[in-house]
Amino acid sequence: MSGETQRMTMGKAINTGLRHALEGDPKVLLMGEDIGALGGVFRVTDGLQKDFGDDRVVDSPLAESGILGTAIGLALRGYRPVCEIQFDGFIFPAYDQITTQLAKIHNRSKGRLQVPVVIRVPSGGGIGAVEHHSESPEALFAHTPGLRVVAPSTPQDAYTMIREAVASPDPVLYFEPKARYWDKGDVDTSVFGTDASRASLDAAQVVRPGSDVTLVTYGAAVHVSLKAAEAAAAEGTSVEVVDLRAVSPLDTATVAASVRRTGRCVVVHEAATFLGPGAEVAARVSEECFYSLEAPVLRVGAFHAPYPVSKIEHDYLPSVDRILEAVDRLLSH
Amino acid sequence: MDQQTPAAEHVAESSAHPTDAQMIQLLTPSGERTAEGGSAPYAKRVAHLDHDALRGLYEDMVLVRRFDDEATALQRQGELGLFPQCLGQEAAQVGSGRALAAQDYVFPSYREHGVAHTRGLDLAQILLQFRGVDHGGWDTEAHNFHLYTLVIGSHALHATGYAMGVQRDGLVGTGDPDRDTAVVAYFGDGSTSQGDVNEALVFAATTNAPVVFFCQNNQWAISEPTTKQSRVPLYRRGDGFGIPGVRVDGNDVLASYAVMDEALERARSGGGPTFVEAFTYRMGAHTTSDDPTRYRSRAEEQSWRERDPIDRLRKHLESEGAWDQGWAEQVAAEADALGEHLRTYVRALEAPPASSMFDTVYASEHGTVTAERAWHAEYEAGFETSEVAR
């Protein structure tokens, strides 16, 4: 354990990453609703306005398109804005600015202009919330060229990936699995600014090795996938878990290498399966691993129904049982 | 008489075109200097413009109109896919544009050819986009003139954010005229209905950002008249946001200059944003694909032709004895040269290589783009090989 390693929650890891980014570059600034004195509704920006001032930790008017549009202007002036969208379901007023402007200005200017804006989105379900507070809209953004879309699953990745996202010359959507904010882990804050740490925005990693089935997952669903792998091991099935970390770009090489070994693949995410990121993974796996597959690629995700009332949300989200059911189907093929 | 509610009063004000006295005006449609009532304080802002400067503004407007005519002709000849004219709006654009300082920054809509000219762009660069060979076409930082934004009103927020950056750079209210910086968002009457423009007004007002919202009310958002966008005159849109508003005769180049000069001064000195409504007219079609005969009358167009901004300044120069035939011929020759330049330049513009679509999707390497680029190169190379084989 290095001297810079501390045990902390994922929320604190992001907070620490933002603090270090603000310390490291005077052009970095945070924008969002209630991120100042309150520290954000999840307290992810706790204490930052006090230490960096209200010019750098900016409580914005309650207007998401306004936050993104002004962030683009600030980026064009040489700043590196990190925007907080309070909840996943409130990103849509900003959807136009993100997809028609933020994603395209670098391309529109033939590379002359850069818009290094980070959009932090507390995302996903499982916290018993009301409508619009539990969604996983990442596919909509991964479908848009010009955006990078990432989701950490551990405190260490949360720290490293927010630092790398802020340093990236490209716009990055950073989906924070809000149900995992309170998970604790060791965080080495020296993991930043190297080729290996930069890969956290591009490269999947095998987080549990196995030989019978590959679970491909990211963000909040990594946790439930690991639990499913544990349960499968108890029944004698060896499950490998690949954490994509990025939905755009998609690291198909790491996924394909795993599936060529296991011959079976299940994609697990909280987003709906219909036209979700898993559909793309399944297509890539069928192209690249056709002769290694023992069974069709399966997906476990949300249904093609609006996020349900919280009393039944656990029937909507991928669960250990639904993942094991998919694993069993593959093995009995 | 019944006491009118303020709202009813505004509606009454909106339903009729303002009289000349209801706008800031320094040149009457017949070319006489005026400075009545509310216009009086603005006269001093153009007092330094001597005959040479006025001839300069005339020359600007003639060149911009020639650009419009040539680009329209090139579209009709099939050399351009589309073109949006700024015909009729030259005074609003040239007047306001010539009030800008070098360090000021402009976020245009897509009809700001006159402003582009005042920012020193070779106007031919605007046509790359309409030729279909570039989504932008110029070096924004060389001219402090952002690329055209086609999604209506989106750039009002970019201008506001940029102005928030200028504030953080400490370039507001220093008192140094070469450093204090203003940012301008140019947009039209239709844009004022967009959420983004209204959000920009909120952000600009609450942050006191050094930004000017320059709205050219050209009366038509494609086929919809301004009455479809607003019940109050557009210059009053700023009221509820706490942003001062002013309506200027947008066909009067001097008044457009003066009103912009005041708004820029307010922004640069730390006085915050201004909403300017330049009351003008889109004398051409929305774009070369539009057909205004379907929604507006020839009589209306004719009434605006009588307010033509270039004729107005010419009459003024003549009445001042400042019209010089030799100079006028030089301007005409310059316009001819611009026309020739545009025709030659545009016809020589060729499609970029297909692979260029992958070049600047991201500023850093992105695996999906890298893989698709490689696949595409291999696919293209396959054709070359089979042609050789044949």
Side-chain angles (χ1 to χ4, degrees):
Chain A
M1 193 183 279
S2 110
E4 292 163 80
T5 299
Q6 281 183 293
R7 195 161 173 78
M8 63 179 80
T9 63
M10 180 182 286
K12 183 66 179 171
I14 300 168
N15 175 278
T16 306
L18 293 171
R19 174 177 292 280
H20 291 173
L22 285 160
E23 283 168 355
D25 182 351
K27 294 292 189 184
V28 172
L29 56 91
L30 314 186
M31 308 167 67
E33 296 156 10
D34 308 299
I35 68 167
L38 182 67
V41 294
F42 289 104
R43 309 294 182 264
V44 171
T45 54
D46 185 37
L48 298 178
Q49 189 181 64
K50 186 169 146 289
D51 292 345
F52 295 94
D54 57 10
D55 253 12
R56 297 193 66 200
V57 181
V58 183
D59 269 326
S60 315
L62 213 168
E64 288 77 9
S65 190
I67 293 169
L68 258 298
T70 54
I72 290 169
L74 279 155
L76 290 170
R77 184 72 191 181
Y79 288 83
R80 302 185 92 85
V82 182
C83 304
E84 175 173 309
I85 297 294
Q86 199 157 73
F87 283 91
D88 34 59
F90 301 141
I91 199 168
F92 298 104
Y95 190 68
D96 172 56
Q97 283 287 348
I98 296 170
T99 56
T100 72
Q101 305 302 320
L102 184 64
K104 292 181 169 177
I105 286 174
H106 181 67
N107 185 248
R108 186 181 300 152
S109 66
K110 285 218 283 205
R112 288 192 183 105
L113 300 174
Q114 293 185 354
V115 273
V117 175
V118 176
I119 308 170
R120 293 181 36 241
V121 192
S123 163
I127 63 162
V130 294
E131 199 182 6
H132 313 299
H133 290 70
S134 308
E135 300 176 4
S136 299
E138 57 270 18
L140 296 169
F141 300 97
H143 195 63
T144 303
L147 304 175
R148 291 176 170 272
V149 180
V150 303
S153 70
T154 65
Q156 178 66 63
D157 269 352
Y159 175 84
T160 300
M161 288 165 73
I162 194 67
R163 296 288 322 263
E164 294 297 346
V166 175
S168 171
D170 289 309
V172 181
L173 281 113
Y174 180 94
F175 284 95
E176 303 172 2
K178 65 171 87 83
R180 313 261 48 104
Y181 271 144
W182 298 275
D183 287 2
K184 282 190 174 174
D186 287 338
V187 175
D188 178 350
T189 56
S190 70
V191 184
F192 165 64
T194 64
D195 286 346
S197 67
R198 271 188 285 276
S200 64
L201 299 186
D202 292 282
Q205 60 182 10
V206 175
V207 292
R208 179 191 170 105
S211 53
D212 297 329
V213 178
T214 300
L215 298 186
V216 179
T217 183
Y218 59 89
V222 173
H223 179 79
V224 70
S225 297
L226 286 169
K227 278 180 22 186
E230 197 68 46
E235 293 170 9
T237 304
S238 172
V239 172
E240 179 149 302
V241 180
V242 176
D243 179 358
L244 287 173
R245 302 199 287 188
V247 182
S248 174
L250 199 57
D251 176 6
T252 51
T254 301
V255 172
S258 173
V259 176
R260 282 192 204 105
R261 278 188 285 104
T262 62
R264 299 175 187 86
C265 179
V266 183
V267 194
V268 185
H269 51 53
E270 287 198 10
T273 56
F274 183 74
L275 294 174
E280 182 65 29
V281 174
R284 300 281 172 168
V285 167
S286 78
E287 275 181 55
E288 295 182 27
C289 312
F290 189 70
Y291 294 105
S292 308
L293 285 171
E294 303 285 346
V297 180
L298 296 181
R299 291 169 292 159
V300 176
F303 301 106
H304 193 58
Y307 199 93
V309 292
S310 61
K311 293 296 185 196
I312 58 169
E313 69 179 323
H314 292 289
D315 296 295
Y316 180 79
L317 294 169
S319 61
V320 169
D321 284 345
R322 277 174 59 202
I323 296 168
L324 291 177
E325 188 273 341
V327 168
D328 285 347
R329 262 196 286 159
L330 290 187
L331 290 168
S332 63
H333 216 277
Chain B
M1 200 168 99
D2 289 344
Q3 198 182 352
Q4 281 193 324
T5 64
E9 185 188 314
H10 293 175
V11 173
E13 198 184 348
S14 174
S15 59
H17 282 195
T19 63
D20 288 346
Q22 290 173 314
M23 302 185 281
I24 305 304
Q25 192 182 72
L26 298 174
L27 265 188
T28 67
S30 52
E32 288 144 16
R33 287 295 288 266
T34 177
E36 299 292 316
S39 300
Y42 290 91
K44 66 174 190 286
R45 294 186 179 274
V46 296
H48 66 291
L49 298 178
D50 59 13
H51 287 163
D52 269 351
L54 295 183
R55 282 193 292 257
L57 294 171
Y58 179 87
E59 179 184 341
D60 286 338
M61 293 196 288
V62 166
L63 292 175
V64 169
R65 184 162 292 183
R66 183 54 169 267
F67 168 72
D68 242 31
D69 291 345
E70 288 292 341
T72 304
L74 284 165
Q75 193 280 335
R76 295 299 186 230
Q77 292 160 17
E79 300 289 352
L80 300 175
L82 182 82
F83 184 70
Q85 287 179 293
C86 70
L87 187 67
Q89 299 174 223
E90 294 90 349
Q93 296 193 9
V94 166
S96 62
R98 284 296 178 204
L100 294 161
Q103 71 272 18
D104 294 335
Y105 204 98
V106 171
F107 285 84
S109 175
Y110 49 76
R111 202 187 295 284
E112 268 67 72
H113 320 319
V115 188
H117 170 72
T118 68
R119 299 307 281 171
L121 252 80
D122 173 357
L123 291 176
Q125 292 179 294
I126 289 173
L127 299 180
L128 272 74
Q129 174 167 30
F130 300 110
R131 175 81 162 173
V133 299
D134 202 309
H135 285 313
W138 57 89
D139 181 348
T140 54
E141 303 317 284
H143 304 280
N144 280 12
F145 187 75
H146 192 68
L147 299 176
Y148 280 177
T149 296
L150 307 187
V151 179
I152 300 296
S154 294
H155 59 293
L157 281 167
H158 306 162
T160 303
Y162 195 92
M164 290 161 64
V166 167
Q167 280 179 310
R168 283 165 174 75
D169 291 344
L171 295 174
V172 181
T174 70
D176 180 347
D178 295 328
R179 295 180 70 224
D180 282 341
T181 302
V183 184
V184 185
Y186 280 89
F187 53 87
D189 41 295
S191 304
T192 63
S193 297
Q194 287 284 356
D196 278 2
V197 170
N198 288 274
E199 291 188 23
L201 296 174
V202 169
F203 278 68
T206 56
T207 60
N208 205 41
V211 60
V212 178
F213 297 100
F214 194 92
C215 173
Q216 290 165 84
N217 178 0
N218 70 11
Q219 313 305 321
W220 293 96
I222 305 189
S223 69
E224 296 195 359
T226 308
T227 49
K228 292 281 182 195
Q229 315 295 343
S230 182
R231 286 187 64 171
V232 301
L234 293 178
Y235 79 99
R236 304 204 59 165
R237 275 294 174 87
D239 290 359
F241 298 93
I243 296 177
V246 57
R247 177 164 55 193
V248 61
D249 182 342
N251 285 21
D252 173 350
V253 71
L254 295 185
S256 297
Y257 179 99
V259 162
M260 186 60 138
D261 187 59
E262 178 193 50
L264 292 169
E265 184 181 290
R266 180 177 295 130
R268 294 188 199 116
S269 65
T274 304
F275 189 105
V276 177
E277 177 189 7
F279 201 84
T280 181
Y281 193 72
R282 193 195 75 208
M283 282 166 65
H286 165 67
T287 68
T288 43
S289 300
D290 181 33
D291 175 9
T293 65
R294 295 176 73 95
Y295 53 80
R296 69 186 192 189
S297 71
R298 288 196 185 280
E300 178 185 300
E301 292 176 0
Q302 184 53 39
S303 75
W304 279 92
R305 221 163 272 135
E306 286 156 18
R307 300 177 69 88
D308 185 279
I310 300 180
D311 290 349
R312 187 184 304 202
L313 184 56
R314 177 182 176 137
K315 286 178 204 158
H316 177 63
L317 287 168
E318 286 171 347
S319 71
E320 290 274 298
W323 183 264
D324 174 322
Q325 197 51 40
W327 160 78
E329 281 164 17
Q330 276 174 29
V331 171
E334 203 188 334
D336 287 345
L338 173 64
E340 176 58 33
H341 166 59
L342 294 168
R343 293 190 295 272
T344 310
Y345 185 92
V346 164
R347 289 185 177 130
L349 289 172
E350 289 183 8
S355 63
S356 68
M357 72 177 87
F358 302 109
D359 285 350
T360 54
V361 185
Y362 293 88
S364 53
E365 201 202 337
H366 186 281
T368 308
V369 176
T370 304
E372 291 187 355
R373 175 200 280 282
W375 180 89
H376 183 261
E378 205 175 307
Y379 172 77
E380 294 276 283
F383 287 104
E384 285 160 23
T385 312
S386 58
E387 267 172 38
V388 171
R390 241 183 277 142

